[in-house]
Amino acid sequence: MAAWDDEWKSIQQRIRDDRKQAEHFLLCYRQELAQYQQEKDQKTRDWLKAVEMVTDRVSGQKADFLRLRREAWRKHFYYRGKETWVPYVQQRYRNIQAEAGGRRAALAGEQTLRLWWRELVSDVANVHIRIKNK
């Protein structure tokens, strides 16, 4: 087993790096698209394509969530180093759901929002791997 330890650590690090890149491209899609249109970088194109493929298929609650998550990121929701996007998204999401339903909507739980975010990031990373290895 020890013979595989270094390779395992390397693979785990690449997975973490891919997820960080996926998160970046999910949050900064517009900026990266604008930069791509100037530079035409193939790596950026592949990430943008992965984001588009995933986000084009997201609908309803997750589409609202993604829009709000991007909004929270643009507003730099950090306070003393603590990530505070969750409360912002919870409140805004609740308001959107209430407007759509005409009544006060339930608050989306922190675990649910974090799960949705992890799923979106993982989906983009996985799609990117398939695009890259095509």
Side-chain angles (χ1 to χ4, degrees):
M1 282 291 231
W4 301 106
D5 285 350
D6 289 339
E7 187 174 3
W8 174 256
K9 289 177 185 175
S10 174
I11 290 168
Q12 290 300 306
Q13 184 59 49
R14 287 187 301 210
I15 290 169
R16 283 190 295 275
D17 292 345
D18 284 347
R19 287 187 178 151
K20 282 182 183 179
Q21 282 289 98
E23 184 174 75
H24 169 78
F25 278 93
L26 268 167
L27 292 172
C28 302
Y29 175 80
R30 287 184 191 163
Q31 297 91 322
E32 290 293 342
L33 179 60
Q35 187 171 343
Y36 169 74
Q37 290 171 340
Q38 294 174 2
E39 299 175 7
K40 303 291 185 199
D41 177 54
Q42 182 63 37
K43 286 173 67 174
T44 300
R45 180 188 169 279
D46 291 347
W47 277 110
L48 293 171
K49 184 177 179 181
V51 169
E52 290 168 6
M53 290 175 83
V54 171
T55 58
D56 285 352
R57 284 152 184 82
V58 172
S59 62
Q61 293 177 324
K62 276 193 179 178
D64 290 339
F65 162 75
L66 179 58
R67 184 174 52 77
L68 294 172
R69 177 66 178 94
R70 285 173 170 164
E71 184 179 301
W73 181 83
R74 282 192 307 272
K75 292 180 182 253
H76 306 288
F77 272 82
Y78 287 85
Y79 180 72
R80 295 184 184 177
K82 183 180 178 187
E83 193 176 54
T84 59
W85 67 266
V86 173
Y88 176 84
V89 171
Q90 282 178 317
Q91 183 60 45
R92 297 275 293 125
Y93 183 81
R94 185 178 194 173
N95 292 345
I96 288 171
Q97 295 301 312
E99 289 171 10
R103 56 181 168 71
R104 196 129 167 99
L107 187 66
E110 179 176 348
Q111 289 182 339
T112 299
L113 296 179
R114 289 189 184 280
L115 174 65
W116 287 353
W117 184 242
R118 282 191 307 271
E119 287 173 348
L120 285 168
V121 169
S122 290
D123 288 350
V124 169
N126 289 333
V127 168
H128 177 259
I129 289 168
R130 297 328 181 271
I131 290 170
K132 189 171 71 172
N133 293 330
K134 197 162 130 181

